Every structure is written in structure tokens, then in C-alpha cells.
Amino acid sequence: MALRLQASTEGVALVQETTETTPKLINDSSDSFTEMKNRFLSFKKHKYLENLERYQELAQAQAPKFLVISCADSRVCPSYILGFQPGEAFVVRNVANLVPPFENGPCETNAALEFSVTTLEVENILVTGHSCCGGIRALMSMEDEENSSSFIKNWVVVGKAAKSSTKATASNLSFDQQCKHCEKESINNSLLNLLTYPWVEERVAKGLLSLHGGYYNFVDCTYEKWTLDYQKSNPKQETGGYAIKNREFWS
């Protein structure tokens, strides 16, 4: 069952359910491209050719309402989980679904952020995290001020404010519970980091862009969604500078 979302400056709304046939899982590497070929030909026959006019429109231009920043984890494909159709969402995936602050300088994630906001003029940014995130676990396992040649550690340190906040408020919890807490705290930290980009904050302040957080728990298949309350948030605070509204729990 796929979920389709409707873009709105008021938030993310569930509007439709569709049934799709689940393809055979790729278990044998020798058969991987054979299965991919079958999936592609099935897509062409049952999706592309049956909606040819729509795909021809998309060939000319795109106008997505969403930018989705999601984890690269193979278990949490946002289009599959949330039912985005071609043309509905500009999707960026990285380890631990992190958004670095503006002052960190250029990277692939903020290049996509700049394009989707300034050129495509998306109306919603959805930062969506998930349960059992290895990137967040790596962040929580790092020693403070640790110097490392690891690309992973040098990337996840972007979430150090979320780690600090978690350690301050959830130090009595087990390590696994702290990681779960940080998975959500990191999403809010990324929402605040979005506001450090002047062209993002300008559009949010004008009501042209809304910032949302989402959390997919694939253990029990639930999804939490919330919206950053811009008027009550302060990205200049090191921790706890956010306020949220419109929290929903889908189960």
C-alpha cells in the first residue's frame, strides 16, 4: 500500500491510497540486472505508456512541491514509503538525513537545497529520519572532539548539536534509547540549520515555504510528521532553539 501526500503550506496531508504489486526481491546478484530489466519493462508498460501525457509533460519541465531530505539507508526509500509520484518531490539522500549549516560551505546536499528552493521554488521541505539509523549511532558513538580520517565520522559530526542535546536531556536512558532520541533531535537540528540559509529563511518568513520533520519507524511501520513553527524558533541557540506544531502520528 503506497501513501500519496499533498503539498501545502499548512503541512503534509494524506490524501490517497493506491495498491501496487510488489516486485520480486533481488536476492541473487547474478539475477539482479535481469530483475531490474523486468521491473523497468513493467514500469514502461503499466506506468509510463498508460500515463504518457503526464510523462511527456515531465520531460519538458518539473515543478515539485516538495524537497525531501532522507537517509541513504536502503530500507527507507521515501518515494516508496510516502507514495511520491514522478514530478512530486525533489529527493536528496545522504547518511543520516543531515542538513549542514550554511557556514559549513558547499556540499551535494546544499547544492540540491539551493536548486530546489531558488529555481524550482518548492513549497515544502521534509526532512525525514528513521529508526535504527546507523549514521546517528555513529554520531552518538564518537568521542567529543575526536579527530578522524573517516568520511562517515567527518560527515555525521554535522549533527553534533543534536548529540549534545540528547546527552543533556536523555543521559539516564540506555544507549539504544539515546540513539532513538537523537534520531528525532537530529531532524529538528536540521530544520534549524535550514534557516541559516538566507534564501530559505526569506521564503519561510514570507509564508512561501514550510519546513517539516518526519520520522519513519520501520520496526512497527509508523510515521510521525510535524512542522517547524518559524515564529517561535531560534536557529541561533545551540540547543533547543526550535518549536513545532501540527504534529501527527500515522499508524
Side-chain angles (χ1 to χ4, degrees):
M1 189 74 71
L3 305 181
R4 184 176 183 276
L5 303 181
Q6 180 178 15
S8 165
T9 55
E10 296 299 318
V12 184
L14 180 65
V15 296
Q16 178 180 324
E17 294 185 352
T18 59
T19 302
E20 295 184 356
T21 301
T22 302
K24 182 179 71 175
L25 292 176
I26 298 174
N27 294 316
D28 188 339
S29 60
S30 64
D31 293 333
S32 59
F33 284 99
T34 300
E35 177 58 25
M36 282 187 203
K37 174 185 174 181
N38 292 336
R39 292 180 187 184
F40 172 74
L41 294 176
S42 177
F43 158 76
K44 182 174 182 178
K45 178 179 179 181
H46 298 292
K47 299 291 181 66
Y48 182 87
L49 293 177
E50 291 181 5
N51 299 277
L52 186 57
E53 183 177 350
R54 172 58 176 159
Y55 281 98
Q56 287 178 335
E57 290 175 357
L58 289 174
Q60 302 303 314
Q62 61 173 323
K65 301 299 183 183
F66 278 89
L67 164 64
V68 179
I69 301 173
S70 178
C71 187
D73 193 298
S74 65
R75 299 165 290 185
V76 292
C77 177
S79 293
Y80 194 81
I81 295 164
L82 299 174
F84 287 113
Q85 300 303 304
E88 290 184 337
F90 193 87
V91 180
V92 181
R93 300 182 69 175
N94 64 44
V95 173
N97 44 272
L98 297 172
V99 178
F102 180 79
E103 59 268 21
N104 273 33
C107 68
E108 293 87 345
T109 295
N110 52 34
L113 173 63
E114 180 180 9
F115 177 72
S116 62
V117 171
T118 64
T119 301
L120 299 179
E121 297 184 341
V122 295
E123 297 175 6
N124 298 275
I125 299 177
L126 173 64
V127 180
T128 183
H130 66 93
S131 57
C132 307
C133 182
I136 294 299
R137 195 173 188 87
L139 170 66
M140 292 296 295
S141 301
M142 290 176 61
E143 298 294 333
D144 292 338
E145 307 303 324
E146 178 180 345
N147 292 319
S148 174
S149 60
S150 165
F151 292 139
I152 295 173
K153 290 182 177 180
N154 285 330
W155 168 251
V156 298
V157 75
V158 167
K160 62 182 179 181
K163 176 185 176 180
S164 297
S165 177
T166 296
K167 291 294 187 182
T169 60
S171 59
N172 60 318
L173 301 180
S174 69
F175 181 73
D176 286 344
Q177 290 173 320
Q178 287 182 34
C179 287
K180 184 174 182 179
H181 184 281
C182 190
E183 286 165 356
K184 297 181 181 182
E185 191 71 15
S186 178
I187 295 167
N188 289 317
N189 183 59
S190 284
L191 294 179
L192 288 182
N193 283 347
L194 285 170
L195 292 177
T196 65
Y197 294 83
W199 23 270
V200 170
E201 184 174 26
E202 179 183 5
R203 291 184 66 82
V204 172
K206 291 180 179 179
L208 301 174
L209 177 63
S210 296
L211 308 182
H212 313 277
Y215 181 80
Y216 171 51
N217 186 332
F218 56 66
V219 176
D220 57 11
C221 196
T222 58
Y223 194 88
E224 295 178 58
K225 170 265 167 189
W226 60 92
T227 300
L228 184 74
D229 189 338
Y230 171 72
Q231 300 298 332
K232 297 180 181 179
S233 296
N234 181 5
K236 295 180 175 60
Q237 286 183 231
E238 287 193 13
T239 59
Y242 61 86
I244 62 175
K245 59 183 180 181
N246 301 336
R247 182 183 288 275
E248 299 177 13
F249 187 80
W250 306 338
S251 63

